[in-house]
């Protein structure tokens, strides 16, 4: 008597995809709790500076999901994908053209060694901004840029290595105490066609992993100064040497707003200029609506310039 044999059914392990689930949940937790990262050896500084780029881990979880297709691996992918999208997705939405802004503000760290300073200055002048702030003017290239901007703007104020050029008159500069031995920020009142605005030009101390305490202290001092400024319309622009995703920026944003976050259109990375991976240069504001935020094409500095449009409320 012949006995029929049937192939055994493949058993689906309930733990199938558990690796993807664990990895995905851990990555989502990292995104949500990155403020708790240790500052030792610059761990927080490095990871928070490139936080949007950690989305590459989503590709790894997606690969696990494809290989180990199961409801566990699906959850492992969807949870961090939703968290990442909630944190960074709005920045990727397209900017809506709001027409000509009330004023445009440009900021650029021109670097200590710029091989084409005249072209760099002209690149900004060609965009016809109303207000320009430049950092690192102490070098020979900075002095050339200084001269080029003087010929294009009627009004200017320079304190040490920082300068502001404007189409409108400005008050005498008031140095902002950042707790440093040399000036790295000053404020001035600019009498625009739309009323007075308080303008802060800043250049935060440089940082390297494990040595960011001086910059953090300077950020807190700046935040206190701006918070106690009673002006209705305030702009704070320059090189902050910190990314928007750095939790130390929370001393400034909020209460101030960031033109890139408001105007959207991408992450707007500015450094290093050859292949930007983070945004160190910002235009922050109070009493305005941001209409645009554009990162200019690569020049010969290690930073890219930012051009932002603002409408008075």
């Amino acid at each position: 008597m012949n006995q029929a044999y049937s192939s055994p059914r493949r058993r689906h392990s309930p733990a199938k995809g558990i690796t993807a689930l664990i990895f995905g949940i851990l990555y989502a937790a990292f995104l949500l709790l990155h403020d708790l990262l240790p500052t030792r050896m610059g761990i927080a500084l490095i990871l928070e500076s490139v936080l949007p780029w950690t989305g590459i881990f989503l590709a790894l979880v997606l690969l696990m999901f494809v290989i180990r297709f199961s409801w566990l691996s699906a959850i492992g992918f969807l949870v961090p994908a939703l968290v990442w999208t909630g944190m960074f997705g709005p920045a990727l939405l397209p900017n809506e053209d709001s027409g000509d802004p009330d004023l445009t503000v440009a900021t650029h760290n021109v670097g200590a060694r710029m091989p084409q300073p005249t072209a760099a200055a002209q690149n900004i002048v060609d965009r016809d901004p109303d207000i320009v702030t430049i950092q690192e003017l102490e070098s020979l290239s900075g002095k050339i840029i200084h001269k080029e901007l003087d010929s294009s703007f009627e009004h200017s104020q320079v304190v040490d290595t920082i300068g502001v050029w404007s189409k409108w008159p400005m008050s005498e500069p008031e140095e902002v105490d950042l707790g440093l031995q040399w000036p790295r920020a000053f404020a001035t009142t600019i009498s625009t066609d739309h009323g007075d605005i308080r303008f802060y030009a800043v250049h935060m101390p440089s940082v390297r992993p494990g040595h960011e305490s001086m910059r953090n202290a300077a950020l807190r001092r700046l935040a206190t100064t701006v918070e106690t400024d009673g002006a209705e319309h305030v702009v704070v622009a320059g090189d902050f040497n910190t990314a928007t995703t750095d939790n130390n920026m929370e001393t400034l944003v909020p209460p101030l707003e960031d033109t890139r976050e408001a105007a959207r259109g991408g992450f707007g990375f500015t450094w290093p200029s050859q292949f930007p991976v983070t945004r160190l240069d910002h235009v922050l504001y109070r009493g305005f609506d941001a209409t645009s935020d554009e990162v200019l094409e690569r020049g010969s500095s290690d930073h890219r310039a930012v051009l932002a449009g603002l409408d008075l409320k």
Side-chain angles (χ1 to χ4, degrees), residues 152-214:
S152 300
F153 291 87
E154 186 176 352
H155 307 279
S156 66
Q157 297 285 3
V158 175
V159 174
D160 202 68
T161 65
I162 310 167
V164 175
W165 285 261
S166 168
K167 292 182 176 180
W168 301 295
M170 294 184 284
S171 66
E172 288 298 313
E174 303 164 34
E175 184 181 337
V176 177
D177 182 12
L178 299 181
L180 307 172
Q181 295 180 346
W182 61 97
R184 294 291 288 255
F186 71 86
T188 181
T189 299
I190 303 178
S191 301
T192 78
D193 293 343
H194 309 283
D196 288 352
I197 68 168
R198 190 71 165 160
F199 191 91
Y200 288 80
V202 303
H203 184 192
M204 288 293 118
S206 300
V207 293
R208 64 182 188 272
H211 298 83
E212 59 264 28
S213 59
M214 184 181 296

Side-chain angles (χ1 to χ4, degrees), residues 17-173:
I18 191 67
T19 302
L21 175 65
I22 294 174
F23 192 90
I25 295 300
L26 288 175
Y27 175 56
F30 161 75
L31 290 175
L32 293 171
L33 302 174
H34 69 88
D35 287 358
L36 303 179
L37 286 169
T39 58
R40 186 176 180 181
M41 297 188 299
I43 293 174
L45 172 68
I46 295 171
L47 291 178
E48 288 187 324
S49 295
V50 295
L51 202 59
W53 291 94
T54 62
I56 194 171
F57 289 117
L58 286 175
L60 180 58
V61 180
L62 178 60
L63 180 62
M64 294 180 185
F65 168 60
V66 172
I67 295 175
R68 303 289 291 174
F69 187 83
S70 71
W71 64 272
L72 288 179
S73 58
I75 295 173
F77 172 73
L78 289 175
V79 169
L82 289 173
V83 172
W84 190 95
T85 302
M87 292 178 64
F88 305 116
L92 300 178
L93 295 173
N95 173 253
E96 296 181 3
D97 188 359
S98 304
D100 292 332
D102 291 335
L103 70 151
T104 53
V105 177
T107 178
H108 194 196
N109 182 326
V110 297
R113 297 178 180 178
M114 177 176 272
Q116 298 176 316
T118 302
Q122 195 60 46
N123 186 42
I124 293 176
V125 170
D126 288 345
R127 305 307 297 268
D128 194 30
D130 299 306
I131 305 169
V132 178
T133 179
I134 300 292
Q135 304 87 51
E136 296 202 21
L137 286 168
E138 75 278 12
S139 64
L140 176 59
S141 58
K143 293 175 181 178
I144 294 173
I145 290 173
H146 187 165
K147 183 178 179 180
E148 290 291 325
L149 292 176
D150 280 346
S151 64
S152 300
F153 291 87
E154 186 176 352
H155 307 279
S156 66
Q157 297 285 3
V158 175
V159 174
D160 202 68
T161 65
I162 310 167
V164 175
W165 285 261
S166 168
K167 292 182 176 180
W168 301 295
M170 294 184 284
S171 66
E172 288 298 313

